[in-house]
Every structure is written in C-alpha cells, then in structure tokens.
Amino acid sequence: MDVYAVVSISGTVGKPQNLKTRIDKNGDTDPRWNFPMKFIIDEDAALQNQLTLVIKIKAAKMLFGDKCLGEVHVPVKELIDGVKTQNKKMMMKIVKYQVIRSSGQPKGLLTLSYEVGEKFSGEPAAAVETVTAVQGRRSRVSSFGGLVVADDGDGGL
C-alpha cells in the first residue's frame, strides 16, 4: 500500500495551508514519512480554540482516485499548550493521536513531533524563510512553524 498524508489547518482565514507528505512505498500498513512541514498559525485564533490540525491519511491508487484510510483532528491550542520552554529555548514535543476511519472506528495511532517557533509580525512569507528544518523527525513549528508527521506503527493502517 502506497500511503501519504495531507495536512492542513482548518479554521484559518484566507488561502488554506495544505501540505502533502511524500508517498511511503515501503511501509505498507506502518508508513513513516519523517517529513517536515511548516505552518503559520494565528496565535489568537489558536488560543481561542478556533484552529484544528487535520491530518488525512490516504492510499494512492491508480484507478478511481486515492482512498482515505483515516483522519486525525488535533486542536492547535492543545499543541501550543503542550509546548514547554527551557532556558528560553523551545522544546520538541512528541505526541500520539488515534487515527479515525470515516466510519468512526479507530485505525492505529499517528505519532507526530512539533515545536512552536518564535512569534513574528509583518509579512509571513519572510518569516517562513528564516526557519530551517532539523533532521529526522523534527522541524520548527507553529505560532509560525511546521509539523512533522510520522506514523509509529502502533496500530497500523
């Protein structure tokens, strides 16, 4: 099974931020992407619980379009609240969420790591360019930043 994820932030105003991982052709029901993603987050909207990180896990198919295997919905506020700082440095956080099928049934776990970046004002495009991804399962994230999506295989897909 060739699996990929489409990640977006729902509840945003303006052009939606939709990012897609590469296809994992070798993971079958235990895909691993280790794919850094950066999102610009409106902190006020996030803290008012208006934004949701949506991860759609899909199987690439040649005929009849791709099949949605399941989804994860995470309030961005939960991600921001979960980050701790130490000596004014942002700390990487690793979390797991249940993947839910369209039927409402659980289908494995999704592990993702994230980090909240520094606040900025002005043109978002300029700020995104100043962020660099760290190797492996990490990247800068959130109040401006990115999320790394990686399934740890605890439940399979």
Side-chain angles (χ1 to χ4, degrees):
M1 185 170 12
D2 296 342
V3 182
Y4 67 97
V6 178
V7 185
S8 63
I9 304 286
S10 70
T12 58
V13 176
K15 184 179 178 186
Q17 300 176 70
N18 291 306
L19 299 173
K20 180 178 159 184
T21 67
R22 61 179 167 68
I23 293 174
D24 182 349
K25 293 185 174 282
N26 301 315
D28 198 35
T29 61
D30 186 16
R32 294 179 186 272
W33 300 291
N34 296 327
F35 191 85
M37 297 182 172
K38 298 172 191 155
F39 290 95
I40 299 169
I41 305 296
D42 178 334
E43 186 175 21
D44 290 336
L47 293 176
Q48 293 173 21
N49 213 19
Q50 297 174 353
L51 304 179
T52 303
L53 176 71
V54 178
I55 304 166
K56 295 181 180 185
I57 301 169
K58 297 187 172 195
K61 296 195 170 213
M62 298 300 278
L63 301 174
F64 308 114
D66 296 351
K67 177 182 179 182
C68 186
L69 300 175
E71 295 185 13
V72 174
H73 293 251
V74 182
V76 174
K77 181 181 187 321
E78 186 175 308
L79 297 174
I80 291 174
D81 289 347
V83 174
K84 298 185 187 326
T85 59
Q86 184 178 28
N87 298 330
K88 297 186 180 181
K89 291 184 179 179
M90 299 300 170
M91 302 300 296
M92 181 63 56
K93 182 83 174 181
I94 298 173
V95 293
K96 294 182 182 188
Y97 291 96
Q98 184 73 58
V99 177
I100 305 296
R101 297 178 186 172
S102 59
S103 67
Q105 297 298 311
K107 183 165 180 90
L109 292 176
L110 179 90
T111 299
L112 64 94
S113 61
Y114 70 97
E115 182 176 9
V116 175
E118 296 177 21
K119 294 180 186 179
F120 70 92
S121 60
E123 288 297 314
V128 170
E129 292 174 357
T130 66
V131 177
T132 57
V134 179
Q135 290 193 8
R137 297 174 57 167
R138 300 179 178 188
S139 82
R140 302 292 294 172
V141 183
S142 201
S143 299
F144 127 81
L147 296 166
V148 175
V149 181
D151 181 350
D152 71 350
D154 281 358
L157 293 175

